[in-house]
Amino acid sequence: MAGLEKHVYGQYDIETKLGLLSSFHFDASVQNIYACLLLGYELTILPEEIRADGKGIIDFLSENQIEICDATPTHLTSILGRAKKAPEDF
C-alpha cells in the first residue's frame, strides 16, 4: 500500500477521480481498488457494456470527469482504434 501511495497515487489530488476498466476479478485490479479506496480517492467502475467500445469508453471517462483509468492492452487497442478513425472524439 505504501508503495502505491508513494509511486502512483501520491502525485494526485485527493479529488482526482479514478476509473476501473479492467475486470475486478483481475489480481492487479483488486490491488488498485483497495489502494484507491483506502487512500480516499473516488473510484468509478466502468459499465460492462462499454468496455469493448473505444468511443463508449472515451465518452464515459469524459462525462464522469475521470482523470485516471487502468486499461488492458485490448482496451487500449480499442481506444486507439477509435482515435485513428475519429480523432475529433479526443
Side-chain angles (χ1 to χ4, degrees):
M1 179 69 82
L4 282 171
E5 182 175 17
K6 179 179 178 183
H7 298 290
V8 179
Y9 297 105
Q11 59 188 316
Y12 301 103
D13 274 352
I14 198 67
E15 287 82 29
T16 300
K17 294 181 179 181
L18 293 97
L20 182 68
L21 182 55
S22 300
S23 169
F24 52 86
H25 302 291
F26 183 56
D27 290 349
S29 295
V30 173
Q31 181 179 357
N32 288 330
I33 291 169
Y34 284 112
C36 176
L37 297 177
L38 290 172
L39 293 171
Y41 292 90
E42 180 180 331
L43 179 67
T44 301
I45 299 173
L46 279 74
E48 187 72 37
E49 60 270 10
I50 67 164
R51 292 182 184 184
D53 173 20
K55 179 161 178 19
I57 293 168
I58 294 162
D59 290 346
F60 187 89
L61 295 176
S62 178
E63 290 166 10
N64 292 280
Q65 299 176 334
I66 296 171
E67 299 173 64
I68 303 168
C69 189
D70 70 325
T72 65
T74 302
H75 293 128
L76 289 174
T77 299
S78 178
I79 292 167
L80 292 173
R82 180 61 188 192
K84 287 180 183 178
K85 286 182 185 176
E88 66 277 2
D89 287 343
F90 288 84

